[in-house]
Amino acid sequence: MTSVRPDGLLHVVRPGALTTVQDAGRTGWAHLGVGRAGALDAPAARLANRLVGNAPGAALLETTVTGCAVRPDRPVVAVVGGAGCRVSVDGRPVAWGAPVRVPAGAVLDVGPAVDGVRGYLAFAGGLVPEPVLGSRSADLLSGLGPAPLCAGDTLPLGQPAGEPPDGEGPVPWPGAPAELVLPLHPGPRHTWFTPAALRTLTTADYRVSPHSNRIGLRTEGPALERARDGELPSEGMVLGAVQVPPDGRPVVFLNDHPTTGGYPVVGVVAETALAGAAQAVPGTRVRFVVRT
Amino acid sequence: MTGGDAPEADGIRVLPAGPYALLVELTDGERTEAFHAELLRRRERGALPGVREIVPGARTVLLDGIEDSERGTGCVPTARDRLPGDRAAAARDRLARDLLSWSVPPLRREERDAVEIPVVYDGPDLAEVAALWGVGVDEVPGLHSRTAFRVAFCGFAPGFGYLTGLPERLHVPRRATPRTRVPAGALALAGPYTGVYPRPSPGGWQLIGRLADPAPALWDPAREPAALLGPGTRVRFVPAHAPVAPQAAVPAHAPVAAHAPVPVQAAPQPTGPVPKSRTETGR
């Protein structure tokens, strides 16, 4: 990816709790300790990009719970999707989940999430900060890519390729899951746990912990009992790995997960289920369903 | 939970890590490095099916993002166009069977020149390490810098290499209480490993020194390769004298500026490079 000539700037008026630039992430660098990053709800990010006429992996904003507000210095077509929320332009309500025109200097305000956790703001032309190792994604664990947004920051906008596709009509955005079902493949260290622990994992009442973040979806529930003691020499970790730290509560590794780790991985959640994990609000019931 | 059978051959076990990944487990660090080197050789000459990531660990090599070589597209699978789970698992299992049949030559140590890194041995844990080693403080720099190090694997932070090479009698435990902030450039020991912190971060390793000025950047995404200390790199530390000026490049004792790394919430996992075993054979 080469640098792109910016075509306007996006001013950050209100950064929200945590708003980051994300794209499809950076792969191929895990051996150097660099994780993939990228939008947590990848299907929502791709859909938002499609609705403004961008390539599926164009860089956009990912908000967390409290939304954000931005002001472009040129007219831009934008889409707010992902977590459901109120959207306004200069205080006037506009459509959520569909393209809206934001005039130059107007404030696009993305309200707090009323359904889900992570919102996506795509702009026709995309955001074009300098890529790092082939991606514009912020990686919170590694500190790579653009830092989380602060009030007063500016981000370069790219040149729109053309008019966004017209007349698509309403598109279906999946809402936040009432129950988070996570299909689970056996992990490399499932034999480190007792058969009772594996039954517990798939039958007990687990909930999404409020301490979840882009690194991992933490759970609250019964601790998993180990069948063997001892420490695990550090080994490579995959996206979706369900790592069990000493407190016994499973952590599902999300996009900013460490590339190597030293706690046993009891299972691996299917990647297609992780978009739901990105939108599950704290307290949501988690059900691990074993796939063989 | 059933499944996850681990095919095994002499000294090697292959563990599935979901439908797209294999964790290859070797009996020791030396064999792990040799197997990793063989993987890279085979990939170089196009004799390995498409694999998105090859991640060495202390005793393992992870192969992630395994493609179906029979499909032959050569493109990286994404969540959208990945194969159905059963076909992916079939490709994974084919690769597992194949690599159990490999004959892996022993590691050759002198393939590349060692990277030389000037360091000042004046870390806050120097006296404690000297006591653990049973030597005087002035003997630590010599014992450490005469060691031929090699990067076994990376992790924890971009550009952080886990360097092996210290003989077992010089392995030291982690600090009982991790520091909340270790300055960038700190030279540290824990278990069988030596490492240099590429940026300020929490950490529980024993700090024996720091990079001398000028030192090559450990991590520079604009450089090729971005990491100075990638897996397999040989490393030699060269003792340097502390500059007279009080504002040395990386003051080992000074508190680190309010430049906390980005995470707004705590990582769920290791808050510092955490060596998991002290049983690894030193060389």
Side-chain angles (χ1 to χ4, degrees):
Chain A
M1 195 179 303
T2 52
S3 57
V4 178
R5 197 163 53 86
D7 177 48
L9 289 176
L10 191 68
H11 295 261
V12 178
V13 177
R14 179 175 65 83
L18 174 67
T19 302
T20 57
V21 177
Q22 297 296 339
D23 58 16
R26 48 180 77 76
T27 54
W29 305 100
H31 60 291
L32 300 183
V34 175
R36 77 164 69 192
L40 285 194
D41 185 344
R46 283 195 296 266
L47 179 53
N49 271 324
R50 182 161 67 82
L51 291 175
V52 294
N54 289 347
L60 40 49
L61 293 179
E62 178 183 281
T63 64
T64 314
V65 183
T66 57
C68 72
V70 293
R71 183 168 49 80
D73 70 355
R74 67 153 164 86
V76 66
V77 173
V79 161
V80 179
C85 63
R86 287 174 185 278
V87 185
S88 67
V89 172
D90 271 349
R92 282 188 302 278
V94 296
W96 172 90
V100 294
R101 287 181 190 280
V102 184
V107 173
L108 172 66
D109 191 280
V110 178
V114 293
D115 177 37
V117 175
R118 268 110 191 168
Y120 293 91
L121 282 76
F123 304 91
L127 299 169
V128 293
E130 273 305 301
V132 177
L133 297 176
S135 165
R136 300 187 163 97
S137 284
D139 180 338
L140 299 189
L141 184 66
S142 297
L144 296 184
L149 265 50
C150 290
D153 284 355
T154 57
L155 286 164
L157 286 161
Q159 233 155 12
E163 281 297 297
D166 229 6
E168 285 231 19
V171 292
W173 291 88
E179 178 185 60
L180 182 60
V181 178
L182 300 177
L184 192 70
H185 300 272
R189 303 297 174 189
H190 72 273
T191 57
W192 282 49
F193 297 88
T194 63
L198 299 175
R199 274 196 305 278
T200 299
L201 179 65
T202 52
T203 57
D205 189 18
Y206 282 99
R207 305 271 165 176
V208 173
S209 159
H211 300 295
S212 302
N213 56 22
R214 283 188 46 89
I215 296 163
L217 179 98
R218 290 181 172 202
T219 62
E220 289 169 347
L224 298 183
E225 190 195 357
R226 293 246 299 244
R228 52 174 291 183
D229 292 329
E231 295 197 324
L232 180 71
S234 284
E235 61 189 25
M237 294 280 147
V238 299
L239 180 67
V242 182
Q243 211 194 38
V244 183
D247 74 4
R249 267 90 193 177
V251 178
V252 181
F253 273 175
L254 302 180
N255 296 41
D256 289 3
H257 72 87
T259 56
T260 60
Y263 297 125
V265 171
V266 65
V268 178
V269 170
E271 197 172 320
T272 47
L274 296 178
Q279 298 295 1
V281 300
T284 302
R285 168 134 201 242
V286 182
R287 202 149 56 82
F288 292 99
V289 180
V290 172
R291 292 280 165 81
T292 52
Chain B
M1 186 153 35
T2 57
D5 294 334
E8 238 179 297
D10 186 29
I12 172 171
R13 237 167 32 119
V14 184
L15 308 157
Y20 306 103
L22 291 170
L23 192 67
V24 185
E25 186 178 60
L26 291 305
T27 47
D28 59 36
E30 177 99 12
R31 286 191 180 87
T32 304
E33 286 187 60
F35 188 85
H36 178 235
E38 176 69 9
L39 276 166
L40 299 187
R41 277 193 294 271
R42 289 187 186 230
R43 183 167 66 176
E44 185 75 15
R45 58 169 205 262
L48 189 70
V51 171
R52 198 177 54 220
E53 308 275 5
I54 297 178
V55 188
R59 281 317 151 58
T60 55
V61 184
L62 174 72
L63 302 171
D64 190 14
I66 298 166
E67 289 176 53
D68 187 352
S69 53
E70 291 181 355
R71 201 171 51 146
T73 60
C75 67
V76 173
T78 65
R80 193 191 216 172
D81 63 17
R82 272 183 167 182
L83 301 166
D86 51 346
R87 277 194 62 193
R92 176 198 66 190
D93 295 344
R94 246 191 330 273
L95 178 58
R97 283 191 300 275
D98 181 39
L99 43 85
L100 283 172
S101 69
W102 289 7
S103 105
V104 177
L107 195 62
R108 277 172 299 168
R109 298 213 160 278
E110 308 304 325
E111 281 167 359
R112 279 179 286 169
D113 288 342
V115 171
E116 295 197 348
I117 302 179
V119 290
V120 180
Y121 286 92
D122 64 354
D125 300 325
L126 198 61
E128 191 176 333
V129 168
L132 287 164
W133 285 4
V135 301
V137 168
D138 56 341
E139 292 174 79
V140 172
L143 283 167
H144 188 259
S145 64
R146 279 196 297 273
T147 306
F149 288 103
R150 187 180 186 99
V151 181
F153 62 99
C154 294
F156 168 63
F160 186 91
Y162 289 76
L163 279 62
T164 54
L166 276 178
E168 197 162 356
R169 68 190 161 81
L170 299 185
H171 297 179
V172 297
R174 273 179 289 153
R175 285 169 51 83
T177 311
R179 289 183 169 86
T180 53
R181 284 287 170 269
V182 170
L187 172 64
L189 302 181
Y193 302 114
T194 287
V196 185
Y197 285 80
R199 61 190 188 119
S201 54
W205 290 27
Q206 311 262 10
L207 309 185
I208 59 167
R210 60 191 160 91
L211 296 183
D213 200 18
L218 295 168
W219 174 252
D220 177 2
R223 181 182 61 193
E224 176 57 46
L228 182 67
L229 309 182
T233 304
R234 294 170 58 230
V235 179
R236 214 165 66 79
F237 292 103
V238 182
H241 293 290
V244 181
Q247 62 276 39
V250 186
H253 306 276
V256 176
H259 171 191
V262 179
V264 271
Q265 297 136 309
Q269 273 309 304
T271 52
V274 180
K276 289 301 168 186
S277 171
R278 296 204 56 213
T279 56
E280 175 144 311
T281 319
R283 297 191 284 274

